Amino acid sequence: MRTKMIAAASIKTDKVDALVLAQLLRCKYLPSVWIPDAKTRGERSLASRRSALTRQSITLKNRIHSVLHRKRPPQPIYSVAPR
């Protein structure tokens, strides 16, 4: 509740906010931060790596398509003879 007051305060300076946070910490009013366990960190790392590899794959495919598009030989134009 008091940390919300910091965000809503009309006087916004780092000194004032730091003082209020220090007082809340001293009185043990600040909640602790959740730190993920090793399994969760591993799963996050795996998901992040997979996402990066997917982006790299898409980038490489796009580059290959671009090169093929630029280097392809001109297509012959077939005209249909009138009947």
Side-chain angles (χ1 to χ4, degrees):
M1 179 90 123
R2 291 190 182 182
T3 54
K4 288 183 183 179
M5 290 173 37
I6 293 173
S10 59
I11 300 172
K12 293 295 295 174
T13 64
D14 288 341
K15 281 186 177 183
V16 172
D17 292 346
L19 179 64
V20 172
L21 285 173
Q23 290 172 351
L24 291 174
L25 182 62
R26 185 186 50 155
C27 297
K28 300 189 185 211
Y29 282 134
L30 288 179
S32 61
V33 176
W34 177 75
I35 299 174
D37 59 354
K39 180 182 175 191
T40 304
R41 285 194 307 267
E43 289 173 351
R44 285 181 178 180
S45 175
L46 185 63
S48 175
R49 183 66 178 140
R50 182 173 190 263
S51 177
L53 289 173
T54 302
R55 277 194 310 271
Q56 286 178 354
S57 172
I58 291 169
T59 300
L60 184 58
K61 286 179 185 178
N62 288 340
R63 290 174 77 183
I64 290 170
H65 282 283
S66 174
V67 168
L68 291 175
H69 183 72
R70 280 185 282 132
K71 300 293 184 180
R72 73 176 183 199
Q75 299 294 322
I77 301 174
Y78 296 103
S79 60
V80 178
R83 293 184 184 198

